[in-house]
Amino acid sequence: RSSSDKPWNYTIGLGGGTNCWFAQTPRLHPSDFRLKSLYGVGEDWPITYGDLEEAYCEAENIMMISGDPDMAQIMPRSQPFPQPPHRMSHPDRIMKAAQPHQHFTMPTGRAREATDTRNACCASLRCQYCPADAKFTANNSLMHLFEAPEVSVVTGAEVRRLGHAGNSVQSVTFRANGREYTVTGDLFVLGANAIQSPAILQRSDLGGSLVGRGLHESYGASFEVLLDGVENFDGSTITTGLNFGLYDGPHRADYGAALVYFENRWSHGLRLEKGRMRETLPIVIVTEDLLDDRNYVTLDADENAFVEYLDASDYAVRGMAEARRKLPDLLAPLPVEKIIDRGIRGTESHLQGTLRMGKDPSTSVVDAGLVHHQLRNLVVVGTSTFPTCSCANPSLTAAALSLRAAKVLL
């Protein structure tokens, strides 16, 4: 439940968000990790892009990411993408020819070529379901982990609290089949998303001043660009292009970075004029937000998660206003007839920030290895640990952080 009507989308089930995600997998920009140092806003991450680069490659190889090698111009990489890029749409190809330093094919966990466990993307534009089983999910790529003899999976369960003493967790209590169970262990990993993870800690009397604080996600808006003589929708997947022209730079001291997504789906329908039905380009612009501790997760009278939410920050709103203003210039290579503002999107479905990572226990909940500052056998994974809000999709970064955390522990 929530104090506002803003939706907070997440999936509960084996495989989590991989069951319904669209599998957009850009990396965070190197500057995203150093917002405070570079631009005097937000916070620096306790790690750099370079610290995470090896884990980025590992995550991309596990997910068999399809990507544009030209992205290495702004996001250096030590290994190539494991899959070739998807086919761009006609508008994308025009943009890339004019802006090769900032317009790239969207990196994605939707297979461009069939793998041992996944088919090639069919461009049916139903990515939340993926009728071809082309996108990476836990069910088609990680089930061998769940099937290992030393692993027990309990579905339909709800974790209620962690038992703890001193600087360690000793047990976890969960509900299943109408009763409560308690299990003990040496190492505990909490990854129940940015709303439910802090709620579990709060129910366990492990709140603290920062637990649950700073709930946020990036801030998005939709646009429809009517084109004159250029047709769209001939790409090989749902989102074909990613433009970084409004992303990084000194402006981030005053307003948020913006990322421009070029869509290969008819989000707003096809054009009605005879012979021009495909001369339209749906665009999504996403801007970064700043964490605000007045947006937070707390518990209701039944000790279930309750979200108190005010709104996106002025920083994000100004970023969107500037992106709107600059969009015509960004699209100058295209024969633009008209840009239609379709309004702010209700959600980007990327909950973040309630158990942020950092070096100082007074300003963060977990350290650079995602280990709880107080409870040294508790690892927190997922986007709840993000100390800032990039405008790029966070899923690949969450996966890379988990892989890095495992290596640090080992």
Side-chain angles (χ1 to χ4, degrees):
R1 297 192 302 116
S2 176
S3 63
S4 76
D5 58 2
K6 175 179 169 56
W8 298 95
N9 292 344
Y10 58 84
T11 298
I12 295 177
L14 185 62
T18 68
N19 290 302
C20 62
W21 72 323
F22 277 53
Q24 317 271 52
T25 53
R27 297 180 176 191
L28 267 58
H29 191 283
S31 295
D32 291 339
F33 296 86
R34 302 179 58 222
L35 264 186
K36 187 74 170 180
S37 296
L38 291 174
Y39 305 120
V41 297
E43 297 295 336
D44 287 348
W45 290 50
I47 59 173
T48 66
Y49 176 90
D51 293 330
L52 199 57
E53 204 281 325
E54 181 181 349
Y56 268 139
C57 291
E58 186 177 356
E60 287 165 345
N61 285 324
I62 291 172
M63 297 183 189
M64 293 297 290
I65 299 301
S66 165
D68 187 341
D70 292 346
M71 292 191 83
Q73 296 177 67
I74 57 174
M75 297 175 190
R77 50 188 309 117
S78 57
Q79 297 180 32
F81 282 105
Q83 286 245 337
H86 276 275
R87 171 184 166 85
M88 282 185 157
S89 66
H90 190 182
D92 276 309
R93 297 194 293 274
I94 293 173
M95 291 293 295
K96 188 169 180 67
Q99 301 173 0
H101 60 292
Q102 66 187 39
H103 198 92
F104 309 107
T105 310
M106 165 66 81
T108 173
R110 303 184 291 269
R112 179 71 166 105
E113 300 174 346
T115 73
D116 291 341
T117 60
R118 292 150 54 195
N119 297 311
C121 177
C122 65
S124 68
L125 316 185
R126 294 293 181 269
C127 293
Q128 64 270 46
Y129 310 116
C130 194
D133 199 23
K135 72 175 180 180
F136 169 87
T137 71
N139 290 300
N140 62 28
S141 300
L142 296 180
M143 201 50 63
H144 63 283
L145 300 176
F146 298 110
E147 293 171 347
E150 61 270 35
V151 174
S152 297
V153 177
V154 182
T155 57
E158 179 193 8
V159 172
R160 293 302 293 176
R161 56 192 175 274
L162 305 177
H164 55 93
N167 65 347
S168 65
V169 176
Q170 298 175 328
S171 64
V172 57
T173 298
F174 65 93
R175 291 177 181 168
N177 303 316
R179 56 170 290 190
E180 284 197 349
Y181 300 83
T182 297
V183 293
T184 59
D186 298 317
L187 178 68
F188 297 81
V189 180
L190 176 60
N193 77 47
I195 289 178
Q196 298 300 335
S197 286
I200 290 170
L201 292 182
Q202 289 168 343
R203 282 197 297 268
S204 308
D205 296 323
L206 291 168
S209 61
L210 288 174
V211 170
R213 297 284 166 174
L215 178 66
H216 68 279
E217 65 171 355
S218 48
Y219 185 66
S222 296
F223 300 83
E224 183 178 10
V225 181
L226 303 184
L227 302 172
D228 186 4
V230 169
E231 294 189 332
N232 191 21
F233 313 127
D234 58 338
S236 68
T237 189
I238 192 168
T239 304
T240 46
L242 205 54
N243 194 290
F244 285 79
L246 306 178
Y247 200 113
D248 196 37
H251 67 269
R252 294 178 80 178
D254 300 313
Y255 55 87
L259 194 52
V260 184
Y261 294 72
F262 283 59
E263 299 289 280
N264 190 48
R265 52 176 162 164
W266 39 93
S267 310
H268 314 293
L270 300 174
R271 294 188 66 168
L272 299 180
E273 300 98 317
K274 183 179 179 179
R276 305 189 68 188
M277 55 190 304
R278 288 171 50 199
E279 294 180 10
T280 176
L281 168 64
I283 276 178
V284 173
I285 297 179
V286 176
T287 62
E288 64 183 328
D289 201 357
L290 291 180
L291 275 69
D292 186 336
D293 286 345
R294 294 176 298 173
N295 299 326
Y296 62 94
V297 177
T298 185
L299 299 178
D300 63 16
D302 298 318
E303 292 197 323
N304 294 318
F306 186 91
V307 172
E308 293 281 0
Y309 184 75
L310 294 177
D311 209 343
S313 68
D314 290 343
Y315 182 80
V317 173
R318 289 196 303 272
M320 186 62 71
E322 286 296 315
R324 280 190 175 104
R325 185 177 68 83
K326 294 176 179 178
L327 185 59
D329 289 339
L330 183 80
L331 299 179
L334 296 174
V336 175
E337 186 177 283
K338 183 179 182 181
I339 299 176
I340 303 171
D341 189 333
R342 294 292 185 178
I344 297 298
R345 289 151 59 92
T347 178
E348 296 305 309
S349 302
H350 296 147
L351 290 65
Q352 302 174 59
T354 51
L355 298 171
R356 69 195 77 168
M357 63 192 300
K359 296 178 180 178
D360 186 349
S362 69
T363 58
S364 59
V365 179
V366 299
D367 65 18
L370 306 186
V371 178
H372 193 280
H373 282 304
Q374 174 191 340
L375 305 167
R376 301 307 292 169
N377 67 337
L378 175 63
V379 183
V380 180
V381 298
T383 55
S384 64
T385 64
F386 285 24
T388 63
C389 177
S390 169
C391 45
N393 307 67
S395 302
L396 181 73
T397 299
L401 285 170
S402 295
L403 291 168
R404 181 180 179 275
K407 286 191 173 182
V408 169
L409 280 173
L410 291 173

